[in-house]
């Protein structure tokens, strides 16, 4: 870690001073800036380096203690001041620990591309190792235009930085919308589906815009037309099937089955009463013809039991049939192909009992 700190300080100092030199105007083309302005710029660059170095050290301490969230915060603040391969390498490794493989791959690939020649082989091997782990969890995309040198790249509506667009893009597994743009050419909008560990190269030929005749004064030129809008990435959701009828029909079927079982039990009880009364009549010496007066009530009870058995058996049969029909209706509705409709849906089920019939009435629209 100490070697990394030394490399970081040397790398940041050199990068910052080169940036200051590059920003100074050339004396052959512009008036030289005052010496005070150059000194101020150099002091500001050195101040950023000092703050980034301190944040980097604090991030390393959190890293050693496996306080990944604290380390990420320190490294991100340092990255905001100065973009160094050391910061990117440690930040990518921490984000991999925080289950952020896409961002981790972005930082680790930057670190690998920008590592200076003095970087130790074991440090480069470590970066490659963690980059491989990150890429195994995301999709990798390379974008090239076949007929132009550079293109603007948009991914899911957000512009990709030019430096990243020239190398590799890392995507969460799933479907994404890719847009390629270049002045004088029509926008190319492509849908990309990627998965963990997959690498895809898209080489697309852009189509030149059709030349149009000059319009009236003040009319926009052909190349000044507003950029094409990205298509919606999410299709309008289909109307979900209503499960209320299935639940209602299933509940009504269960009620019908319960009624059938109840009437079956009642019919069996009435049949048992009839059998008992018939046995008593046999013991009295006959049937209900010329029966002694003391057994006449048994004949009346026997006829009543027979009537109850018949009524309850018929009612149980109707309930079983209704329960089966309702269950078939619920299954049919659940599996039947449907079309969209704006008709309001509703279902109502009610039991209907009378002296001469029994059943379940279902009314509904679905």
């Amino acid at each position: 870690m100490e070697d990394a700190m030394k490399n970081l300080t040397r790398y940041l100092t050199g990068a910052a001073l080169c940036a200051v030199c590059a920003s100074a105007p050339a004396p052959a083309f512009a008036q030289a800036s005052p010496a005070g302005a150059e000194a101020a710029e150099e002091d500001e660059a050195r101040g950023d380096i000092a703050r980034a170095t301190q944040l980097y050290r604090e991030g390393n301490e959190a890293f050693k203690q496996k306080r990944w969230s604290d380390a990420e915060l320190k490294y991100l603040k340092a990255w905001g001041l100065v973009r160094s391969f050391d910061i990117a390498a440690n930040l990518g490794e921490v984000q991999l620990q925080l289950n952020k493989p896409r961002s981790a791959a972005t930082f680790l690939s930057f670190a690998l591309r920008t590592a200076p020649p003095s970087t130790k082989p074991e440090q480069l091997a470590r970066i490659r190792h963690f980059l491989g782990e990150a890429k195994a969890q995301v999709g990798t995309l390379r974008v090239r235009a076949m007929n132009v040198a550079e293109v603007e790249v948009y991914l899911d509506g957000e512009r990709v930085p030019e430096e990243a667009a020239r190398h590799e893009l890392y995507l969460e597994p799933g479907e994404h919308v890719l847009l390629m743009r270049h002045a004088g050419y029509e926008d190319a909008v492509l849908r990309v589906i990627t998965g963990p560990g997959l690498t895809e190269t898209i080489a697309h030929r852009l189509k030149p815009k059709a030349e149009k005749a000059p319009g009236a004064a003040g009319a926009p030129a052909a190349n000044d037309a507003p950029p094409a809008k990205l298509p919606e990435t999410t299709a309008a959701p289909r109307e979900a099937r209503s499960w209320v009828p299935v639940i209602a029909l299933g509940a009504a079927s269960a009620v019908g089955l319960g009624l059938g079982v109840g009437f079956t039990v009642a019919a069996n009880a009435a049949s048992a009463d009839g059998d008992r009364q018939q046995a008593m009549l046999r013991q009295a010496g006959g049937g209900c013809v010329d029966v002694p007066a003391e057994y006449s009530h048994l004949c009346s009870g026997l006829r009543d039991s027979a009537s109850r058995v018949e009524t309850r058996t018929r009612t149980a049969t109707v309930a079983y049939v209704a329960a089966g029909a309702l269950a078939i209706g619920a299954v049919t509705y659940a599996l039947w192909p449907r079309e969209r409709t704006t008709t309001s849906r509703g279902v109502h089920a009610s039991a209907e009992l009378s002296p001469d019939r029994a059943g379940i009435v279902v009314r509904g629209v679905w």
Side-chain angles (χ1 to χ4, degrees), residues 2 13 22 80 110 153 159 206 252 257 271-272 289 330:
E2 292 299 328
T13 303
F110 175 89
V153 177
R159 184 172 180 179
L206 298 181
L257 182 61
S271 178
V289 180

Side-chain angles (χ1 to χ4, degrees), residues 37-98:
E38 292 184 5
E41 290 183 7
E42 184 173 343
D43 289 342
E44 183 178 356
R46 293 184 181 278
D48 288 343
I49 293 171
R51 289 191 295 272
T53 303
Q54 179 60 33
L55 289 167
Y56 183 78
R57 289 197 181 100
E58 294 173 3
N60 289 345
E61 288 300 319
F63 187 102
K64 292 177 183 177
Q65 301 171 19
K66 297 184 179 181
R67 293 186 288 110
W68 307 122
S69 296
D70 293 340
E72 180 189 34
L73 179 60
K74 297 296 183 181
Y75 289 144
L76 283 173
K77 288 182 178 180
W79 178 261
L81 293 171
V82 179
R83 298 194 170 189
S84 156
F85 92 98
D86 300 76
I87 298 174
N90 285 15
L91 181 54
E93 190 172 336
V94 166
Q95 289 189 332
L96 197 57
Q97 294 289 342
L98 293 173

Side-chain angles (χ1 to χ4, degrees), residues 347-359:
V347 64
H348 304 279
S350 60
E352 182 176 326
L353 297 174
S354 63
D356 58 342
R357 67 178 183 273

Side-chain angles (χ1 to χ4, degrees), residues 109-192:
S109 63
F110 175 89
L112 201 58
R113 289 194 307 270
T114 60
S118 59
T119 306
K120 293 183 178 180
E122 54 268 25
Q123 187 175 3
L124 293 175
R126 183 184 181 92
I127 296 173
R128 290 192 185 97
H129 169 75
F130 287 110
L131 177 59
E133 284 192 9
K135 291 176 68 173
Q137 303 178 50
V138 298
T140 303
L141 183 67
R142 301 187 182 100
V143 181
R144 303 290 182 268
M146 299 175 64
N147 52 338
V148 295
E150 298 285 345
V151 291
E152 297 178 17
V153 177
Y154 293 80
L155 187 62
D156 296 331
E158 296 184 3
R159 184 172 180 179
V160 178
E162 293 182 6
E163 197 274 339
R166 287 194 297 268
H167 297 93
E168 290 183 342
L169 309 182
Y170 302 104
L171 295 75
E172 297 291 346
E175 183 177 356
H176 302 271
V177 177
L178 176 72
L179 183 144
M180 301 170 64
R181 177 174 295 166
H182 188 80
Y185 292 81
E186 295 182 2
D187 290 349
V189 181
L190 308 172
R191 292 190 179 275
V192 181

